[in-house]
Amino acid sequence: MIEKKRIGLFTSGGDAPGMNAAIRAVVRTAIHYDLEVVGIMRGYEGMIDNEMQLLDSNSVSGIINRGGTILKTARSERFRTDEGMAKAFQNLQSQNISGLIAIGGDGTFRGANAFLEKHSIPTIGIPGTIDNDLYGTDFTIGYDTAINTAMEAIDKIRDTADAHNRLFFIEVMGRDAGFIAMRSGIAGGAEAILVPESKTDLDAVIDLLQRGWNRKKTSNIVVVAEGDEAGGAFKVAEAVKGKLQQFDTRVSIIGHTQRGGAPTCMDRVLASRLGVAAVEALLNGKQNVMVGVLHRDISYTPFNQATKHNLDVNLNLLRIAEILSS
Ligand code: F6P
């Protein structure tokens, strides 16, 4: 049980659609349990600069449907230093904050872990990242919206690819993970999907495209995860173009559109569940864990395990993609 009734809440790292829904859920749940919530602006940066303000129920009205984050976000270099962390801790103490809820991804929880090795304050993490690259939850907040955004972009590109009989290489985000590529690629009917978790064989991609050409396929889409070891979409396109000169080829980088927009129903509900779970976890004396949903139930994963690397995308999905594109 935390001693004082005031918790700090912040978003950190890349924003993700649904972060606002999570903020709303945390604030309203905290109020429900008679806790005060201090919103810390711009993640660890605002913690160091003492940019904090009390949040009430009204301050989170009308945000469940909004992308971005009302608390703003940042990636903080200063928080990597002992001085930065010490200043942040001093500010938390001066604000009487005795528990923290951090909404973010891999970098956020690595930061929290480093902070907690030096300073003691019970902290609960909520997974908010479009990349879906955390252990301990089936899905992260923002991922569903991002894959739908990517899918819609692929659908639109399919129209123009088909009209011109073109080959497109579409690059999607995901940092060094291929989750966005895998799902949006399957949903968009991609001819090939290149992800960092499985070795890319460009000769096989070339063969597949050549077979498509032979049977007069009118459009071809290769979805490339930005972290694929063969390089981004431009690099892959260059390599393939040299061997398939008959194709009229284009490259499209979907980019930050994947981070914005209204969260999907799935993301809003996930954020609402995890916001409630995070506050209840703090109240129940849990600390230094990320809440998640595994097989439909709430789960708790220590930060250092949530951020472990070498995630697996579901290779069965890759197999499905291969069968369906032929
Ligand atoms: O982690 C979310 C993410 O959008 C990644 O998919 C991407 O690699 C990165 O952030 C981009 O970061 P920035 O917005 O700082 O360029």
Side-chain angles (χ1 to χ4, degrees), residues 112-249:
N113 214 27
F115 187 55
L116 296 169
E117 278 171 10
K118 293 191 168 19
H119 305 283
S120 173
I121 180 162
T123 302
I124 303 292
I126 297 179
T129 165
I130 63 166
D131 300 335
N132 203 40
D133 59 347
L134 292 165
Y135 276 106
T137 191
D138 290 333
F139 299 110
T140 56
I141 297 165
Y143 174 61
D144 187 62
T145 308
I147 55 180
N148 276 288
T149 301
M151 179 192 73
E152 283 165 22
I154 293 168
D155 285 350
K156 287 176 178 161
I157 291 171
R158 176 73 72 182
D159 290 345
T160 175
D162 188 55
H164 285 268
N165 284 3
R166 277 179 174 160
L167 161 62
F168 268 84
F169 293 86
I170 303 178
E171 183 176 305
V172 298
M173 278 188 169
R175 214 166 43 123
D176 40 16
F179 295 96
I180 297 177
M182 184 61 75
R183 293 224 173 205
S184 64
I186 289 176
E191 276 59 38
I193 304 170
L194 310 186
V195 293
E197 293 84 354
S198 110
K199 194 158 169 33
T200 292
D201 179 350
L202 284 183
D203 288 334
V205 174
I206 290 163
D207 277 357
L208 180 129
L209 293 169
Q210 182 62 55
R211 286 200 302 275
W213 176 270
N214 294 346
R215 65 185 168 91
K216 300 197 169 25
K217 228 170 178 296
T218 55
S219 67
N220 285 283
I221 286 178
V222 178
V223 172
V224 184
E226 65 175 343
D228 188 74
E229 83 276 5
F234 276 108
K235 226 169 152 192
V236 173
E238 273 314 307
V240 171
K241 247 169 30 185
K243 302 216 171 140
L244 290 175
Q245 286 167 3
Q246 71 274 32
F247 278 95
D248 188 10
T249 303

Side-chain angles (χ1 to χ4, degrees), residues 45-117:
E45 286 287 287
M47 210 181 277
I48 295 170
D49 293 335
N50 208 10
E51 269 183 62
M52 310 189 191
Q53 63 194 53
L54 264 181
L55 300 174
D56 61 17
S57 195
N58 286 346
S59 40
V60 294
S61 291
I63 65 167
I64 194 168
N65 55 340
R66 282 169 52 195
T69 156
I70 60 163
L71 295 178
K72 310 282 182 181
T73 188
R75 303 189 200 274
S76 177
E77 281 305 317
R78 289 187 294 160
F79 198 72
R80 293 175 190 269
T81 65
D82 287 350
E83 304 76 62
M85 286 195 208
K87 186 81 183 84
F89 189 62
Q90 195 187 326
N91 289 335
L92 294 174
Q93 287 187 309
S94 72
Q95 298 268 1
N96 280 334
I97 292 172
S98 54
L100 283 176
I101 294 184
I103 306 172
D106 186 85
T108 304
F109 301 145
R110 282 176 195 278
N113 214 27
F115 187 55
L116 296 169
E117 278 171 10

